[in-house]
Amino acid sequence: MSDNLTPEQRSYMMSRVRSKHTKPELIVRRALFARGLRFRLHDRALPGRPDLVFPRARVAVFIDGDFWHGWRFPLWSHKLAPYWRSKITRNRQRDVSNFRRLRRLGWHVIRVWEHQIEGSLDACLARIVVAVSHARYLVARPRSERSRREWARVQTTTRKNRAEPPPNFALQPTLPRGYSSSSATISRAGQRG
């Protein structure tokens, strides 16, 4: 299949395709910022240079276009010229490789597709918000052997340095002001419970 454009025209058209600050990315960024989430953009230190990075939560978000990253690619790959078929195949393989590398480094990876943003932006935002809020309570464990040894060393050091309560110390539950406890019930002072 031959190209119906001249090389100059094709070059100009391809130069107009953005890799950063795309329309779907801007929509998600504005919505997350409006919800109070702060993030970094296109962190070069991470594999695949994620579109949005939440460093404290260790969440990396990729906002991918349906064509360039091959949404349901096997269904329509036969319609493409060999050049485009191999290009999108390479993009998909690179995506899988980058996601694996990020996960091995202890990052939670979220992939948001262009059609998902157009269909239900709220569902996409909810996935990101839940991942960021849950990550505050979860600790990502590295998967390589060297990282595991380092992880174990840090955890044992942290446990040893943790302040221990005195041996005769017993935790007493505290109640809000105006409440008293009895053996049967907890009631508000001045009321029968």
Side-chain angles (χ1 to χ4, degrees):
M1 177 196 256
S2 63
D3 198 354
N4 58 358
L5 299 176
T6 66
E8 293 80 22
Q9 290 172 327
R10 177 62 64 197
S11 176
Y12 176 76
M13 287 182 67
M14 293 304 293
S15 71
R16 303 284 90 195
V17 176
R18 295 180 179 182
S19 62
K20 295 192 282 191
H21 313 298
T22 60
K23 185 178 177 182
E25 183 183 334
L26 292 175
I27 290 170
V28 172
R29 281 169 34 186
R30 287 179 185 138
L32 289 173
F33 195 87
R35 290 183 180 212
L37 292 175
R38 301 300 180 254
F39 42 83
R40 291 188 182 156
L41 301 176
H42 312 289
D43 192 346
R44 291 179 182 221
L46 295 175
R49 205 184 292 179
D51 296 315
L52 305 175
V53 177
F54 298 89
R56 286 186 183 169
R58 294 185 68 81
V59 173
V61 180
F62 289 88
I63 302 169
D64 292 339
D66 294 342
F67 176 77
W68 297 107
H69 294 271
W71 166 252
R72 299 179 74 178
F73 187 60
L75 297 178
W76 51 271
S77 65
H78 66 279
K79 298 178 182 179
L80 298 176
Y83 170 78
W84 291 108
R85 193 175 308 126
S86 65
K87 170 137 181 80
I88 293 174
T89 302
R90 286 192 313 266
N91 287 351
R92 290 167 49 97
Q93 290 169 347
R94 187 176 57 247
D95 288 344
V96 169
S97 171
N98 288 330
F99 295 168
R100 283 184 185 150
R101 289 171 58 198
L102 281 167
R103 287 187 182 113
R104 282 189 198 120
L105 292 172
W107 287 81
H108 180 75
V109 179
I110 298 176
R111 180 182 223 178
V112 180
W113 290 95
E114 178 182 9
H115 72 274
Q116 292 173 329
I117 295 168
E118 293 168 357
S120 177
L121 177 62
D122 290 333
C124 297
L125 297 177
R127 282 178 51 207
I128 297 169
V129 169
V130 165
V132 171
S133 62
H134 282 356
R136 293 178 184 162
Y137 303 106
L138 301 176
V139 179
R141 294 180 179 227
R143 296 184 181 178
S144 70
E145 186 57 38
R146 181 177 176 196
S147 299
R148 283 189 185 133
R149 285 191 303 252
E150 179 66 18
W151 171 265
R153 187 186 64 77
V154 169
Q155 292 302 310
T156 55
T157 308
T158 306
R159 282 192 205 110
K160 288 178 185 174
N161 294 340
R162 195 175 291 153
E164 295 293 330
N168 59 355
F169 180 78
L171 290 175
Q172 296 295 323
T174 58
L175 297 173
R177 199 174 279 175
Y179 284 84
S180 63
S181 65
S182 67
S183 59
T185 61
I186 298 175
S187 61
R188 179 127 174 117
Q191 297 178 355
R192 294 188 180 201

